[in-house]
Amino acid sequence: MKLRFDEQVAIVTGAGKGLGREYALQLAARGARVLVNNRAHAGDPVRSADSTVAAIVAGGGAAVANYASVEDEDAPQEMLRQALAAWGRVDIVIHNAGIARSGFFTRMSATDFAALMRINFLAPVALTRAVLPHMRERGYGRMVFSTSAAGLYGNRGQSAYSASKAALLAFMQSIRLEESGYDFRVNAIAPFADTPMTAGYMPGQSDGRFSTAWPAALALWFAHRDCSASG
């Protein structure tokens, strides 16, 4: 609890479940006000974004829910407008939303390949484009991208997913160089945790070794004002 985010505002995408939810809860517990983004699914009795917001509010924190799908054209500006309307600023963006879809390259349609690139890569790029002018104007910002070991090393049967996550690394490094004239830090993490997304990859491993708390600790450090690391 030594890391505090009092008065700061964070946007966390894909924050209804898994790692995104953990990031949002941990930020709020340390004083941040959080825009919790997670797309609404038809038929869900409770929207996952609402569940995360309810948990934050029950703990005495401040949060609002956003139901946009990150791939929608209007989603980035919608999230920015909502955060500014609620709290007047955006200090932190954690790009967590993404999908994992396996399939050998020669058997995967061009449409499916493009969908992974659109959600995992182009959506974070679009949100970055929306938020950076605001951060530059205020002279401050912290941004965290979620890549993957598959993006670092590739993975059999995950060419599209790997490519989308590797693209984030190159984009992150370029933004680091371009946004170097003020207190802006951008980093990426390659997390692995016991979440709904990874449930099919490691059945029976829910014993704490892959707790979402571990990658969340690094994400919060990268999001903190005292962090000097970038790139």
Side-chain angles (χ1 to χ4, degrees), residues 87-125:
W87 301 299
R89 59 195 279 186
V90 174
D91 303 279
I92 300 161
V93 177
I94 299 183
H95 299 278
N96 172 75
I99 60 172
R101 192 174 297 163
S102 299
F104 286 105
F105 176 69
T106 54
R107 302 174 190 170
M108 178 175 281
S109 70
T111 299
D112 285 345
F113 197 103
L116 274 124
M117 294 300 294
R118 186 172 62 250
I119 295 172
N120 292 352
F121 175 60
L122 293 178
V125 169

PDB file of all heavy atoms in Angstrom, residues 87-125:
ATOM      1  N   TRP A  87     -14.082  13.221 -13.816  1.00  0.00           N
ATOM      2  CA  TRP A  87     -13.000  13.648 -12.932  1.00  0.00           C
ATOM      3  C   TRP A  87     -12.061  14.704 -13.514  1.00  0.00           C
ATOM      4  O   TRP A  87     -11.148  15.148 -12.823  1.00  0.00           O
ATOM      5  CB  TRP A  87     -12.180  12.432 -12.503  1.00  0.00           C
ATOM      6  CG  TRP A  87     -13.004  11.408 -11.782  1.00  0.00           C
ATOM      7  CD1 TRP A  87     -13.690  11.569 -10.624  1.00  0.00           C
ATOM      8  CD2 TRP A  87     -13.233  10.053 -12.187  1.00  0.00           C
ATOM      9  NE1 TRP A  87     -14.324  10.405 -10.266  1.00  0.00           N
ATOM     10  CE2 TRP A  87     -14.063   9.455 -11.211  1.00  0.00           C
ATOM     11  CE3 TRP A  87     -12.806   9.276 -13.276  1.00  0.00           C
ATOM     12  CZ2 TRP A  87     -14.479   8.136 -11.288  1.00  0.00           C
ATOM     13  CZ3 TRP A  87     -13.224   7.969 -13.363  1.00  0.00           C
ATOM     14  CH2 TRP A  87     -14.057   7.393 -12.379  1.00  0.00           C
ATOM     15  N   GLY A  88     -12.226  15.050 -14.779  1.00  0.00           N
ATOM     16  CA  GLY A  88     -11.485  16.168 -15.339  1.00  0.00           C
ATOM     17  C   GLY A  88     -10.057  15.900 -15.772  1.00  0.00           C
ATOM     18  O   GLY A  88      -9.341  16.836 -16.162  1.00  0.00           O
ATOM     19  N   ARG A  89      -9.630  14.657 -15.758  1.00  0.00           N
ATOM     20  CA  ARG A  89      -8.248  14.356 -16.115  1.00  0.00           C
ATOM     21  C   ARG A  89      -8.083  12.860 -16.381  1.00  0.00           C
ATOM     22  O   ARG A  89      -8.919  12.055 -15.979  1.00  0.00           O
ATOM     23  CB  ARG A  89      -7.287  14.779 -15.001  1.00  0.00           C
ATOM     24  CG  ARG A  89      -7.592  14.098 -13.677  1.00  0.00           C
ATOM     25  CD  ARG A  89      -6.910  14.744 -12.503  1.00  0.00           C
ATOM     26  NE  ARG A  89      -5.513  14.313 -12.367  1.00  0.00           N
ATOM     27  CZ  ARG A  89      -4.736  14.660 -11.344  1.00  0.00           C
ATOM     28  NH1 ARG A  89      -5.202  15.480 -10.409  1.00  0.00           N
ATOM     29  NH2 ARG A  89      -3.500  14.223 -11.265  1.00  0.00           N
ATOM     30  N   VAL A  90      -6.989  12.515 -17.042  1.00  0.00           N
ATOM     31  CA  VAL A  90      -6.576  11.123 -17.207  1.00  0.00           C
ATOM     32  C   VAL A  90      -5.073  11.072 -17.005  1.00  0.00           C
ATOM     33  O   VAL A  90      -4.324  11.745 -17.715  1.00  0.00           O
ATOM     34  CB  VAL A  90      -6.933  10.561 -18.601  1.00  0.00           C
ATOM     35  CG1 VAL A  90      -6.351   9.145 -18.758  1.00  0.00           C
ATOM     36  CG2 VAL A  90      -8.438  10.528 -18.803  1.00  0.00           C
ATOM     37  N   ASP A  91      -4.637  10.310 -16.031  1.00  0.00           N
ATOM     38  CA  ASP A  91      -3.218  10.187 -15.708  1.00  0.00           C
ATOM     39  C   ASP A  91      -2.621   8.870 -16.166  1.00  0.00           C
ATOM     40  O   ASP A  91      -1.425   8.791 -16.470  1.00  0.00           O
ATOM     41  CB  ASP A  91      -3.021  10.302 -14.182  1.00  0.00           C
ATOM     42  CG  ASP A  91      -3.583  11.590 -13.626  1.00  0.00           C
ATOM     43  OD1 ASP A  91      -2.903  12.617 -13.716  1.00  0.00           O
ATOM     44  OD2 ASP A  91      -4.714  11.550 -13.094  1.00  0.00           O
ATOM     45  N   ILE A  92      -3.451   7.824 -16.197  1.00  0.00           N
ATOM     46  CA  ILE A  92      -2.966   6.456 -16.410  1.00  0.00           C
ATOM     47  C   ILE A  92      -3.878   5.733 -17.402  1.00  0.00           C
ATOM     48  O   ILE A  92      -5.109   5.851 -17.313  1.00  0.00           O
ATOM     49  CB  ILE A  92      -2.969   5.670 -15.080  1.00  0.00           C
ATOM     50  CG1 ILE A  92      -2.070   6.339 -14.044  1.00  0.00           C
ATOM     51  CG2 ILE A  92      -2.572   4.211 -15.295  1.00  0.00           C
ATOM     52  CD1 ILE A  92      -2.377   5.917 -12.612  1.00  0.00           C
ATOM     53  N   VAL A  93      -3.276   5.016 -18.309  1.00  0.00           N
ATOM     54  CA  VAL A  93      -4.031   4.104 -19.167  1.00  0.00           C
ATOM     55  C   VAL A  93      -3.348   2.743 -19.130  1.00  0.00           C
ATOM     56  O   VAL A  93      -2.144   2.641 -19.381  1.00  0.00           O
ATOM     57  CB  VAL A  93      -4.105   4.593 -20.624  1.00  0.00           C
ATOM     58  CG1 VAL A  93      -4.834   3.553 -21.482  1.00  0.00           C
ATOM     59  CG2 VAL A  93      -4.821   5.941 -20.715  1.00  0.00           C
ATOM     60  N   ILE A  94      -4.108   1.718 -18.794  1.00  0.00           N
ATOM     61  CA  ILE A  94      -3.611   0.344 -18.865  1.00  0.00           C
ATOM     62  C   ILE A  94      -4.388  -0.370 -19.961  1.00  0.00           C
ATOM     63  O   ILE A  94      -5.588  -0.599 -19.849  1.00  0.00           O
ATOM     64  CB  ILE A  94      -3.749  -0.395 -17.526  1.00  0.00           C
ATOM     65  CG1 ILE A  94      -2.929   0.316 -16.439  1.00  0.00           C
ATOM     66  CG2 ILE A  94      -3.279  -1.844 -17.668  1.00  0.00           C
ATOM     67  CD1 ILE A  94      -2.947  -0.370 -15.086  1.00  0.00           C
ATOM     68  N   HIS A  95      -3.685  -0.686 -21.043  1.00  0.00           N
ATOM     69  CA  HIS A  95      -4.288  -1.361 -22.192  1.00  0.00           C
ATOM     70  C   HIS A  95      -4.294  -2.869 -21.922  1.00  0.00           C
ATOM     71  O   HIS A  95      -3.334  -3.568 -22.228  1.00  0.00           O
ATOM     72  CB  HIS A  95      -3.467  -1.080 -23.449  1.00  0.00           C
ATOM     73  CG  HIS A  95      -3.373   0.363 -23.824  1.00  0.00           C
ATOM     74  ND1 HIS A  95      -4.366   1.020 -24.516  1.00  0.00           N
ATOM     75  CD2 HIS A  95      -2.382   1.280 -23.623  1.00  0.00           C
ATOM     76  CE1 HIS A  95      -4.000   2.272 -24.729  1.00  0.00           C
ATOM     77  NE2 HIS A  95      -2.802   2.455 -24.194  1.00  0.00           N
ATOM     78  N   ASN A  96      -5.375  -3.348 -21.368  1.00  0.00           N
ATOM     79  CA  ASN A  96      -5.433  -4.765 -20.978  1.00  0.00           C
ATOM     80  C   ASN A  96      -6.339  -5.594 -21.869  1.00  0.00           C
ATOM     81  O   ASN A  96      -6.111  -6.791 -22.013  1.00  0.00           O
ATOM     82  CB  ASN A  96      -5.907  -4.866 -19.522  1.00  0.00           C
ATOM     83  CG  ASN A  96      -6.179  -6.294 -19.105  1.00  0.00           C
ATOM     84  OD1 ASN A  96      -5.264  -7.080 -18.875  1.00  0.00           O
ATOM     85  ND2 ASN A  96      -7.456  -6.661 -19.020  1.00  0.00           N
ATOM     86  N   ALA A  97      -7.345  -4.989 -22.471  1.00  0.00           N
ATOM     87  CA  ALA A  97      -8.327  -5.755 -23.247  1.00  0.00           C
ATOM     88  C   ALA A  97      -7.662  -6.487 -24.404  1.00  0.00           C
ATOM     89  O   ALA A  97      -6.764  -5.963 -25.061  1.00  0.00           O
ATOM     90  CB  ALA A  97      -9.413  -4.826 -23.787  1.00  0.00           C
ATOM     91  N   GLY A  98      -8.106  -7.707 -24.637  1.00  0.00           N
ATOM     92  CA  GLY A  98      -7.567  -8.488 -25.742  1.00  0.00           C
ATOM     93  C   GLY A  98      -8.269  -9.826 -25.833  1.00  0.00           C
ATOM     94  O   GLY A  98      -9.010 -10.223 -24.928  1.00  0.00           O
ATOM     95  N   ILE A  99      -8.025 -10.512 -26.946  1.00  0.00           N
ATOM     96  CA  ILE A  99      -8.592 -11.840 -27.134  1.00  0.00           C
ATOM     97  C   ILE A  99      -7.480 -12.803 -27.530  1.00  0.00           C
ATOM     98  O   ILE A  99      -6.458 -12.400 -28.093  1.00  0.00           O
ATOM     99  CB  ILE A  99      -9.698 -11.858 -28.207  1.00  0.00           C
ATOM    100  CG1 ILE A  99      -9.143 -11.411 -29.567  1.00  0.00           C
ATOM    101  CG2 ILE A  99     -10.874 -11.005 -27.779  1.00  0.00           C
ATOM    102  CD1 ILE A  99     -10.130 -11.593 -30.703  1.00  0.00           C
ATOM    103  N   ALA A 100      -7.675 -14.055 -27.214  1.00  0.00           N
ATOM    104  CA  ALA A 100      -6.742 -15.110 -27.617  1.00  0.00           C
ATOM    105  C   ALA A 100      -7.517 -16.130 -28.435  1.00  0.00           C
ATOM    106  O   ALA A 100      -8.508 -16.695 -27.959  1.00  0.00           O
ATOM    107  CB  ALA A 100      -6.118 -15.768 -26.393  1.00  0.00           C
ATOM    108  N   ARG A 101      -7.070 -16.325 -29.657  1.00  0.00           N
ATOM    109  CA  ARG A 101      -7.747 -17.269 -30.533  1.00  0.00           C
ATOM    110  C   ARG A 101      -6.687 -18.100 -31.244  1.00  0.00           C
ATOM    111  O   ARG A 101      -5.863 -17.556 -31.971  1.00  0.00           O
ATOM    112  CB  ARG A 101      -8.612 -16.508 -31.542  1.00  0.00           C
ATOM    113  CG  ARG A 101      -9.582 -17.356 -32.337  1.00  0.00           C
ATOM    114  CD  ARG A 101     -10.468 -16.480 -33.195  1.00  0.00           C
ATOM    115  NE  ARG A 101     -11.302 -15.598 -32.389  1.00  0.00           N
ATOM    116  CZ  ARG A 101     -11.925 -14.526 -32.864  1.00  0.00           C
ATOM    117  NH1 ARG A 101     -11.781 -14.180 -34.121  1.00  0.00           N
ATOM    118  NH2 ARG A 101     -12.673 -13.782 -32.066  1.00  0.00           N
ATOM    119  N   SER A 102      -6.699 -19.382 -31.008  1.00  0.00           N
ATOM    120  CA  SER A 102      -5.656 -20.248 -31.557  1.00  0.00           C
ATOM    121  C   SER A 102      -6.063 -20.816 -32.910  1.00  0.00           C
ATOM    122  O   SER A 102      -7.248 -20.953 -33.220  1.00  0.00           O
ATOM    123  CB  SER A 102      -5.365 -21.396 -30.589  1.00  0.00           C
ATOM    124  OG  SER A 102      -4.906 -20.905 -29.344  1.00  0.00           O
ATOM    125  N   GLY A 103      -5.058 -21.149 -33.692  1.00  0.00           N
ATOM    126  CA  GLY A 103      -5.294 -21.757 -34.996  1.00  0.00           C
ATOM    127  C   GLY A 103      -4.053 -21.664 -35.848  1.00  0.00           C
ATOM    128  O   GLY A 103      -3.395 -20.621 -35.875  1.00  0.00           O
ATOM    129  N   PHE A 104      -3.715 -22.740 -36.512  1.00  0.00           N
ATOM    130  CA  PHE A 104      -2.548 -22.704 -37.386  1.00  0.00           C
ATOM    131  C   PHE A 104      -2.752 -21.675 -38.493  1.00  0.00           C
ATOM    132  O   PHE A 104      -3.859 -21.514 -39.021  1.00  0.00           O
ATOM    133  CB  PHE A 104      -2.281 -24.081 -37.972  1.00  0.00           C
ATOM    134  CG  PHE A 104      -1.701 -25.047 -36.992  1.00  0.00           C
ATOM    135  CD1 PHE A 104      -2.473 -26.061 -36.443  1.00  0.00           C
ATOM    136  CD2 PHE A 104      -0.373 -24.923 -36.598  1.00  0.00           C
ATOM    137  CE1 PHE A 104      -1.932 -26.946 -35.522  1.00  0.00           C
ATOM    138  CE2 PHE A 104       0.168 -25.811 -35.681  1.00  0.00           C
ATOM    139  CZ  PHE A 104      -0.609 -26.823 -35.141  1.00  0.00           C
ATOM    140  N   PHE A 105      -1.682 -21.007 -38.855  1.00  0.00           N
ATOM    141  CA  PHE A 105      -1.760 -19.899 -39.798  1.00  0.00           C
ATOM    142  C   PHE A 105      -2.447 -20.303 -41.104  1.00  0.00           C
ATOM    143  O   PHE A 105      -3.301 -19.576 -41.615  1.00  0.00           O
ATOM    144  CB  PHE A 105      -0.357 -19.348 -40.085  1.00  0.00           C
ATOM    145  CG  PHE A 105      -0.343 -18.273 -41.127  1.00  0.00           C
ATOM    146  CD1 PHE A 105      -0.894 -17.026 -40.860  1.00  0.00           C
ATOM    147  CD2 PHE A 105       0.221 -18.503 -42.372  1.00  0.00           C
ATOM    148  CE1 PHE A 105      -0.910 -16.036 -41.822  1.00  0.00           C
ATOM    149  CE2 PHE A 105       0.219 -17.519 -43.343  1.00  0.00           C
ATOM    150  CZ  PHE A 105      -0.345 -16.278 -43.068  1.00  0.00           C
ATOM    151  N   THR A 106      -2.095 -21.452 -41.648  1.00  0.00           N
ATOM    152  CA  THR A 106      -2.661 -21.855 -42.937  1.00  0.00           C
ATOM    153  C   THR A 106      -4.128 -22.258 -42.841  1.00  0.00           C
ATOM    154  O   THR A 106      -4.800 -22.387 -43.868  1.00  0.00           O
ATOM    155  CB  THR A 106      -1.860 -23.035 -43.528  1.00  0.00           C
ATOM    156  OG1 THR A 106      -1.791 -24.089 -42.564  1.00  0.00           O
ATOM    157  CG2 THR A 106      -0.451 -22.586 -43.913  1.00  0.00           C
ATOM    158  N   ARG A 107      -4.609 -22.448 -41.619  1.00  0.00           N
ATOM    159  CA  ARG A 107      -6.015 -22.813 -41.432  1.00  0.00           C
ATOM    160  C   ARG A 107      -6.863 -21.653 -40.916  1.00  0.00           C
ATOM    161  O   ARG A 107      -8.081 -21.779 -40.806  1.00  0.00           O
ATOM    162  CB  ARG A 107      -6.129 -23.988 -40.457  1.00  0.00           C
ATOM    163  CG  ARG A 107      -5.375 -25.227 -40.895  1.00  0.00           C
ATOM    164  CD  ARG A 107      -5.418 -26.293 -39.815  1.00  0.00           C
ATOM    165  NE  ARG A 107      -4.514 -27.407 -40.104  1.00  0.00           N
ATOM    166  CZ  ARG A 107      -4.223 -28.361 -39.246  1.00  0.00           C
ATOM    167  NH1 ARG A 107      -4.784 -28.356 -38.038  1.00  0.00           N
ATOM    168  NH2 ARG A 107      -3.382 -29.330 -39.581  1.00  0.00           N
ATOM    169  N   MET A 108      -6.213 -20.546 -40.595  1.00  0.00           N
ATOM    170  CA  MET A 108      -6.932 -19.390 -40.060  1.00  0.00           C
ATOM    171  C   MET A 108      -7.323 -18.457 -41.195  1.00  0.00           C
ATOM    172  O   MET A 108      -6.497 -18.134 -42.048  1.00  0.00           O
ATOM    173  CB  MET A 108      -6.067 -18.644 -39.034  1.00  0.00           C
ATOM    174  CG  MET A 108      -6.733 -17.390 -38.472  1.00  0.00           C
ATOM    175  SD  MET A 108      -5.756 -16.612 -37.159  1.00  0.00           S
ATOM    176  CE  MET A 108      -6.155 -17.685 -35.780  1.00  0.00           C
ATOM    177  N   SER A 109      -8.570 -18.030 -41.186  1.00  0.00           N
ATOM    178  CA  SER A 109      -9.032 -17.130 -42.237  1.00  0.00           C
ATOM    179  C   SER A 109      -8.405 -15.759 -42.066  1.00  0.00           C
ATOM    180  O   SER A 109      -7.996 -15.354 -40.969  1.00  0.00           O
ATOM    181  CB  SER A 109     -10.555 -17.003 -42.192  1.00  0.00           C
ATOM    182  OG  SER A 109     -10.963 -16.289 -41.035  1.00  0.00           O
ATOM    183  N   ALA A 110      -8.328 -15.033 -43.162  1.00  0.00           N
ATOM    184  CA  ALA A 110      -7.813 -13.666 -43.107  1.00  0.00           C
ATOM    185  C   ALA A 110      -8.686 -12.798 -42.209  1.00  0.00           C
ATOM    186  O   ALA A 110      -8.193 -11.889 -41.532  1.00  0.00           O
ATOM    187  CB  ALA A 110      -7.745 -13.079 -44.517  1.00  0.00           C
ATOM    188  N   THR A 111      -9.979 -13.102 -42.152  1.00  0.00           N
ATOM    189  CA  THR A 111     -10.904 -12.337 -41.305  1.00  0.00           C
ATOM    190  C   THR A 111     -10.574 -12.531 -39.833  1.00  0.00           C
ATOM    191  O   THR A 111     -10.539 -11.567 -39.054  1.00  0.00           O
ATOM    192  CB  THR A 111     -12.353 -12.767 -41.582  1.00  0.00           C
ATOM    193  OG1 THR A 111     -12.673 -12.500 -42.945  1.00  0.00           O
ATOM    194  CG2 THR A 111     -13.321 -12.008 -40.681  1.00  0.00           C
ATOM    195  N   ASP A 112     -10.335 -13.783 -39.434  1.00  0.00           N
ATOM    196  CA  ASP A 112     -10.000 -14.055 -38.037  1.00  0.00           C
ATOM    197  C   ASP A 112      -8.641 -13.453 -37.670  1.00  0.00           C
ATOM    198  O   ASP A 112      -8.459 -12.948 -36.560  1.00  0.00           O
ATOM    199  CB  ASP A 112      -9.993 -15.560 -37.772  1.00  0.00           C
ATOM    200  CG  ASP A 112     -11.397 -16.134 -37.705  1.00  0.00           C
ATOM    201  OD1 ASP A 112     -12.352 -15.351 -37.575  1.00  0.00           O
ATOM    202  OD2 ASP A 112     -11.536 -17.370 -37.792  1.00  0.00           O
ATOM    203  N   PHE A 113      -7.689 -13.540 -38.585  1.00  0.00           N
ATOM    204  CA  PHE A 113      -6.373 -12.956 -38.332  1.00  0.00           C
ATOM    205  C   PHE A 113      -6.512 -11.456 -38.120  1.00  0.00           C
ATOM    206  O   PHE A 113      -5.943 -10.884 -37.175  1.00  0.00           O
ATOM    207  CB  PHE A 113      -5.433 -13.239 -39.517  1.00  0.00           C
ATOM    208  CG  PHE A 113      -3.978 -13.038 -39.198  1.00  0.00           C
ATOM    209  CD1 PHE A 113      -3.149 -14.119 -38.967  1.00  0.00           C
ATOM    210  CD2 PHE A 113      -3.431 -11.759 -39.139  1.00  0.00           C
ATOM    211  CE1 PHE A 113      -1.793 -13.934 -38.677  1.00  0.00           C
ATOM    212  CE2 PHE A 113      -2.090 -11.568 -38.843  1.00  0.00           C
ATOM    213  CZ  PHE A 113      -1.269 -12.652 -38.612  1.00  0.00           C
ATOM    214  N   ALA A 114      -7.287 -10.805 -38.971  1.00  0.00           N
ATOM    215  CA  ALA A 114      -7.484  -9.359 -38.866  1.00  0.00           C
ATOM    216  C   ALA A 114      -8.203  -8.972 -37.575  1.00  0.00           C
ATOM    217  O   ALA A 114      -7.919  -7.929 -36.982  1.00  0.00           O
ATOM    218  CB  ALA A 114      -8.268  -8.851 -40.073  1.00  0.00           C
ATOM    219  N   ALA A 115      -9.119  -9.834 -37.119  1.00  0.00           N
ATOM    220  CA  ALA A 115      -9.856  -9.537 -35.888  1.00  0.00           C
ATOM    221  C   ALA A 115      -8.913  -9.482 -34.693  1.00  0.00           C
ATOM    222  O   ALA A 115      -9.036  -8.599 -33.831  1.00  0.00           O
ATOM    223  CB  ALA A 115     -10.940 -10.589 -35.656  1.00  0.00           C
ATOM    224  N   LEU A 116      -7.966 -10.392 -34.624  1.00  0.00           N
ATOM    225  CA  LEU A 116      -6.992 -10.382 -33.528  1.00  0.00           C
ATOM    226  C   LEU A 116      -6.116  -9.133 -33.602  1.00  0.00           C
ATOM    227  O   LEU A 116      -5.841  -8.506 -32.574  1.00  0.00           O
ATOM    228  CB  LEU A 116      -6.141 -11.641 -33.552  1.00  0.00           C
ATOM    229  CG  LEU A 116      -6.777 -12.816 -32.811  1.00  0.00           C
ATOM    230  CD1 LEU A 116      -6.905 -14.015 -33.686  1.00  0.00           C
ATOM    231  CD2 LEU A 116      -5.987 -13.157 -31.566  1.00  0.00           C
ATOM    232  N   MET A 117      -5.681  -8.767 -34.775  1.00  0.00           N
ATOM    233  CA  MET A 117      -4.874  -7.559 -34.925  1.00  0.00           C
ATOM    234  C   MET A 117      -5.685  -6.320 -34.554  1.00  0.00           C
ATOM    235  O   MET A 117      -5.170  -5.390 -33.931  1.00  0.00           O
ATOM    236  CB  MET A 117      -4.351  -7.445 -36.355  1.00  0.00           C
ATOM    237  CG  MET A 117      -3.368  -8.523 -36.765  1.00  0.00           C
ATOM    238  SD  MET A 117      -1.856  -8.559 -35.747  1.00  0.00           S
ATOM    239  CE  MET A 117      -1.114  -6.990 -36.176  1.00  0.00           C
ATOM    240  N   ARG A 118      -6.952  -6.317 -34.924  1.00  0.00           N
ATOM    241  CA  ARG A 118      -7.798  -5.155 -34.657  1.00  0.00           C
ATOM    242  C   ARG A 118      -8.023  -4.962 -33.158  1.00  0.00           C
ATOM    243  O   ARG A 118      -7.913  -3.845 -32.644  1.00  0.00           O
ATOM    244  CB  ARG A 118      -9.142  -5.334 -35.375  1.00  0.00           C
ATOM    245  CG  ARG A 118     -10.050  -4.116 -35.277  1.00  0.00           C
ATOM    246  CD  ARG A 118     -11.278  -4.279 -36.164  1.00  0.00           C
ATOM    247  NE  ARG A 118     -12.105  -5.416 -35.770  1.00  0.00           N
ATOM    248  CZ  ARG A 118     -12.227  -6.527 -36.464  1.00  0.00           C
ATOM    249  NH1 ARG A 118     -11.542  -6.696 -37.577  1.00  0.00           N
ATOM    250  NH2 ARG A 118     -13.019  -7.504 -36.039  1.00  0.00           N
ATOM    251  N   ILE A 119      -8.323  -6.029 -32.451  1.00  0.00           N
ATOM    252  CA  ILE A 119      -8.635  -5.913 -31.024  1.00  0.00           C
ATOM    253  C   ILE A 119      -7.375  -5.792 -30.173  1.00  0.00           C
ATOM    254  O   ILE A 119      -7.298  -4.965 -29.260  1.00  0.00           O
ATOM    255  CB  ILE A 119      -9.487  -7.110 -30.571  1.00  0.00           C
ATOM    256  CG1 ILE A 119     -10.845  -7.081 -31.282  1.00  0.00           C
ATOM    257  CG2 ILE A 119      -9.669  -7.111 -29.054  1.00  0.00           C
ATOM    258  CD1 ILE A 119     -11.686  -8.323 -31.064  1.00  0.00           C
ATOM    259  N   ASN A 120      -6.378  -6.612 -30.477  1.00  0.00           N
ATOM    260  CA  ASN A 120      -5.181  -6.656 -29.624  1.00  0.00           C
ATOM    261  C   ASN A 120      -4.178  -5.555 -29.925  1.00  0.00           C
ATOM    262  O   ASN A 120      -3.414  -5.168 -29.038  1.00  0.00           O
ATOM    263  CB  ASN A 120      -4.482  -8.008 -29.772  1.00  0.00           C
ATOM    264  CG  ASN A 120      -5.290  -9.152 -29.204  1.00  0.00           C
ATOM    265  OD1 ASN A 120      -6.307  -8.942 -28.557  1.00  0.00           O
ATOM    266  ND2 ASN A 120      -4.854 -10.370 -29.447  1.00  0.00           N
ATOM    267  N   PHE A 121      -4.149  -5.075 -31.162  1.00  0.00           N
ATOM    268  CA  PHE A 121      -3.158  -4.067 -31.534  1.00  0.00           C
ATOM    269  C   PHE A 121      -3.777  -2.730 -31.929  1.00  0.00           C
ATOM    270  O   PHE A 121      -3.479  -1.695 -31.329  1.00  0.00           O
ATOM    271  CB  PHE A 121      -2.278  -4.583 -32.674  1.00  0.00           C
ATOM    272  CG  PHE A 121      -1.309  -3.557 -33.192  1.00  0.00           C
ATOM    273  CD1 PHE A 121      -0.349  -2.988 -32.352  1.00  0.00           C
ATOM    274  CD2 PHE A 121      -1.356  -3.144 -34.514  1.00  0.00           C
ATOM    275  CE1 PHE A 121       0.535  -2.024 -32.829  1.00  0.00           C
ATOM    276  CE2 PHE A 121      -0.475  -2.187 -35.001  1.00  0.00           C
ATOM    277  CZ  PHE A 121       0.477  -1.622 -34.151  1.00  0.00           C
ATOM    278  N   LEU A 122      -4.658  -2.719 -32.898  1.00  0.00           N
ATOM    279  CA  LEU A 122      -5.182  -1.452 -33.394  1.00  0.00           C
ATOM    280  C   LEU A 122      -6.060  -0.738 -32.367  1.00  0.00           C
ATOM    281  O   LEU A 122      -6.090   0.498 -32.329  1.00  0.00           O
ATOM    282  CB  LEU A 122      -5.956  -1.676 -34.697  1.00  0.00           C
ATOM    283  CG  LEU A 122      -5.101  -2.128 -35.883  1.00  0.00           C
ATOM    284  CD1 LEU A 122      -5.976  -2.367 -37.111  1.00  0.00           C
ATOM    285  CD2 LEU A 122      -4.021  -1.101 -36.198  1.00  0.00           C
ATOM    286  N   ALA A 123      -6.756  -1.488 -31.515  1.00  0.00           N
ATOM    287  CA  ALA A 123      -7.573  -0.847 -30.474  1.00  0.00           C
ATOM    288  C   ALA A 123      -6.717  -0.097 -29.460  1.00  0.00           C
ATOM    289  O   ALA A 123      -7.013   1.068 -29.145  1.00  0.00           O
ATOM    290  CB  ALA A 123      -8.460  -1.884 -29.783  1.00  0.00           C
ATOM    291  N   PRO A 124      -5.642  -0.682 -28.922  1.00  0.00           N
ATOM    292  CA  PRO A 124      -4.763   0.102 -28.045  1.00  0.00           C
ATOM    293  C   PRO A 124      -4.132   1.296 -28.754  1.00  0.00           C
ATOM    294  O   PRO A 124      -3.943   2.362 -28.142  1.00  0.00           O
ATOM    295  CB  PRO A 124      -3.689  -0.908 -27.614  1.00  0.00           C
ATOM    296  CG  PRO A 124      -4.342  -2.232 -27.757  1.00  0.00           C
ATOM    297  CD  PRO A 124      -5.268  -2.110 -28.922  1.00  0.00           C
ATOM    298  N   VAL A 125      -3.812   1.140 -30.037  1.00  0.00           N
ATOM    299  CA  VAL A 125      -3.265   2.267 -30.796  1.00  0.00           C
ATOM    300  C   VAL A 125      -4.286   3.401 -30.855  1.00  0.00           C
ATOM    301  O   VAL A 125      -3.940   4.580 -30.655  1.00  0.00           O
ATOM    302  CB  VAL A 125      -2.877   1.815 -32.225  1.00  0.00           C
ATOM    303  CG1 VAL A 125      -2.571   3.018 -33.116  1.00  0.00           C
ATOM    304  CG2 VAL A 125      -1.669   0.893 -32.175  1.00  0.00           C
TER     305      VAL A 125
END
